[in-house]
């Protein structure tokens, strides 16, 4: 194969008057003369100029939207507007035809809903090209952030026998014949005969295992797929999503919040540096989309400004109790505009409340801490007031909760007492409790939903559009 130059490298090289070979897919072909070629390395197409008078008409007919080409020619300064260089083709080879009558991606604007149905082809649009390049950069940035700080990347199991949060909503893992599973004498399914000798499920969080690692390695993080069978058909939930879960020995809640804020700013800045073109494109896309909305529903800031704003301001930090006071006195609460009215202390916040705090009241990311223990998990460290735990949620504009974390309960007696209170079986979690028995220490960690981060940075509105092949109720296509 001849040496092929990626379009991004070619456009950035600043060179002209050299011979090049490029390969990619046709976006458009105008006037039998101008091919817009894209190879996914950048949102920018390369213009190929075809000498149509000296090209076989049969070949010209095969240059259609979606076709894969190899083009050799001379890179020259462009005469036209809109691009700095062209390739004057000397040879064009069709690597793969694409029947223009049947190709589902026509050179026009398609709705995101339609593109979701052809997720196998949507990478070939400007929007999804940009999204998945940004997603790639963000995942790399996450590793870079933690690696620079000496964290150990720990792979926690995908199949587990514990439901970390006690939240239910797990997918079972079994190799039983579902039509005819072995039964116990009392007629229940006998998981002792199952593959693992017990009931197992896909992980809903790697946290508990992550804590085990932190109790020796000091600072660890996980970054892997997470599964929740929650039947929530929202724009913020997937059945399969990726989560980043750092866990740090000798951290308290404030250290935890500081790290999370630093991480979020770091990776957003990283993407802005690395994927400027893509984010500018997505910013423009969002502006166009918002033109359809009434004035008062449009964002005050465009995507780029929103990201910059997030970088240049401290996140607002306040307690759950303070937030409840603000919400109680808020206009939508008084005018009964919230679907769930805030009556008093103790109720969980709904996403409408979170978004009010972030988008209307503070107009910036918010870190809420010290939630009532009843609405949080058993492993969160109990505060001295006897009512709250050292939990933190980070709320982002347009997203709601992006991070959930806490300082962990390191005191064995307190932890056991809480597990007894809410009926978490201590014998099943003997290994977790062992870390409190042997050299337990203050520690903290959090979970960052990767797709919610990608949503924020790309300005997209639906989580199904920021993962290549979304899994959600009634859908596992591709
Ligand atoms: P929510 O209230 O939005 O359902 P949660 O309280 O269930 O979130 P955690 O259990 O704290 O979330 O999980 C940590 C992070 O994982 C969340 O802050 C969020 O960013 C992300 N997350 C949780 N559930 C989902 C999901 N179903 N799809 C995508 N991301 C999720
Ligand atoms: Mn949830």
């Amino acid at each position: 194969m001849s040496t092929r130059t990626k379009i991004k490298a070619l456009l950035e090289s600043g060179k002209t008057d050299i011979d090049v070979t490029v390969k990619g897919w046709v976006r458009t072909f105008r006037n039998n003369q101008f091919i817009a070629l894209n190879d996914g390395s950048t949102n920018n197409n390369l213009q190929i100029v075809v000498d149509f008078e000296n090209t076989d008409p049969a070949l010209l007919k095969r240059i259609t939207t979606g076709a894969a080409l190899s083009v050799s020619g001379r890179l020259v300064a462009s005469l036209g507007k809109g691009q700095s260089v062209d390739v004057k083709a000397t040879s064009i080879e069709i690597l793969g035809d694409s029947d223009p009558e049947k190709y589902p991606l026509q050179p026009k604007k398609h709705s995101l809903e339609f593109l979701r149905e052809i997720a196998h082809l949507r990478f070939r649009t400007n929007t999804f090209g940009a999204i998945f390049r940004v997603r790639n950069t963000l995942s790399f940035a996450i590793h870079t952030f933690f690696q620079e700080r000496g964290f150990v990347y720990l792979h926690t199991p995908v199949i587990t026998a514990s439901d970390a949060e006690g939240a239910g909503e797990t997918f079972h893992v079994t190799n039983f014949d579902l039509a005819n599973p072995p039964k116990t004498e009392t007629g229940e399914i006998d998981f002792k005969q199952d593959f693992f000798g017990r009931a197992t499920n896909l992980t809903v969080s790697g946290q508990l295992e992550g804590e085990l690692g932190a109790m020796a390695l000091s600072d660890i993080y996980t970054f892997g797929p997470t599964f929740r069978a929650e039947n929530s058909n929202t724009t913020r939930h997937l059945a399969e999503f990726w989560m980043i879960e750092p866990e740090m020995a000798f951290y308290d809640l404030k250290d935890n919040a500081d790290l999370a804020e630093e991480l979020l700013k770091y990776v957003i800045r990283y993407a802005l540096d690395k994927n400027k073109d893509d984010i500018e494109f997505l910013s423009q896309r969002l502006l166009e989309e918002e033109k359809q909305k009434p004035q008062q529903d449009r964002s005050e800031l465009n995507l780029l400004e929103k990201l910059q704003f997030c970088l240049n301001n401290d996140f607002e930090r306040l307690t759950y109790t303070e937030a409840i006071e603000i919400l109680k006195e808020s206009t939508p609460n008084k005018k009964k505009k919230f679907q769930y009215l805030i009556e008093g202390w103790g109720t969980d916040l709904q996403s409408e409340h979170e978004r009010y705090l972030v988008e209307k009241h503070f107009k910036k990311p918010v870190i809420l801490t010290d939630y009532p223990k009843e609405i949080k998990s058993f492993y969160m460290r109990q505060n001295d007031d006897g009512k709250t735990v050292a939990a933190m949620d980070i709320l982002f504009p347009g997203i709601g909760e992006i991070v959930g974390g806490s300082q962990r309960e390191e005191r064995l007696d307190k932890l056991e007492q809480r597990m007894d209170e809410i009926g978490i079986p201590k014998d099943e979690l003997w290994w977790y409790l062992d870390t409190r028995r042997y050299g337990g220490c203050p520690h903290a960690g959090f979970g960052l939903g990767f797709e919610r981060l990608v949503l924020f940075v790309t300005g997209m509105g639906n989580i199904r559009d920021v993962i290549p092949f979304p899994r959600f109720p009634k859908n596992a296509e591709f």
Side-chain angles (χ1 to χ4, degrees), residues 81-273:
K81 281 203 208 114
Q83 67 274 328
S84 57
V85 289
D86 292 335
V87 170
K88 281 180 104 119
T90 49
S91 94
I92 296 178
E93 186 192 346
I94 311 275
L95 300 175
D97 288 286
S98 172
D99 183 344
E101 301 294 319
K102 296 197 182 126
Y103 187 50
L105 270 180
Q106 295 299 314
K108 64 160 195 175
K109 217 172 160 50
H110 292 291
S111 74
L112 295 172
E113 289 75 17
F114 171 72
L115 292 172
R116 228 169 274 148
E117 287 166 18
I118 52 163
H120 59 307
L121 297 173
R122 68 179 177 171
F123 300 109
R124 301 176 182 203
T125 63
N126 284 331
T127 298
F128 286 93
I131 291 169
F132 292 115
R133 280 187 297 271
V134 170
R135 184 180 163 112
N136 166 64
T137 299
L138 286 170
S139 52
F140 190 76
I142 282 161
H143 285 295
T144 311
F145 176 86
F146 286 119
Q147 294 296 324
E148 280 175 356
R149 285 159 185 75
F151 282 61
V152 173
Y153 179 29
L154 195 73
H155 297 100
T156 50
V158 169
I159 300 174
T160 76
S162 72
D163 162 6
E165 312 277 329
E169 298 171 340
T170 58
F171 290 101
H172 300 296
V173 175
T174 176
N175 71 343
F176 277 160
D177 170 8
L178 289 185
N180 196 14
K183 298 275 174 66
T184 61
E185 281 169 8
T186 51
E188 274 137 30
I189 294 177
D190 186 9
F191 286 108
K192 285 210 174 65
Q193 296 185 50
D194 203 352
F195 189 89
F196 296 106
R198 59 197 299 182
T200 48
N201 54 266
L202 293 177
T203 183
V204 293
S205 161
Q207 179 203 315
L208 300 189
E209 291 92 347
E211 284 187 50
L212 313 181
M215 291 299 97
L217 301 163
S218 278
D219 299 326
I220 68 93
Y221 69 106
T222 72
F223 187 176
T226 307
F227 308 87
R228 295 191 186 174
E230 42 198 359
N231 205 357
S232 42
N233 252 311
T234 75
T235 56
R236 306 280 174 264
H237 291 89
L238 291 163
E240 174 181 301
F241 64 101
W242 289 67
M243 187 146 63
I244 297 103
E245 296 183 279
E247 200 64 43
M248 296 74 63
F250 316 113
Y251 267 50
D252 65 13
L253 189 66
K254 178 173 181 303
D255 301 327
N256 202 24
D258 288 347
L259 185 80
E261 180 168 346
E262 200 186 333
L263 167 68
L264 287 163
K265 288 180 168 167
Y266 180 98
V267 299
I268 292 168
R269 185 170 294 119
Y270 202 105
L272 275 172
D273 282 349

Side-chain angles (χ1 to χ4, degrees), residues 50 99 147 189 204 256 267 286 295 307-308 314 369 373 384 389 398 451 454 457 464 473:
V50 184
D99 183 344
Q147 294 296 324
I189 294 177
V204 293
N256 202 24
V267 299
L286 195 59
Q295 189 75 43
L307 298 177
Q308 284 299 346
D314 291 339
T369 60
K373 64 178 180 195
D384 293 340
V389 287
E451 283 75 19
V454 183
V457 178
R464 296 172 187 180

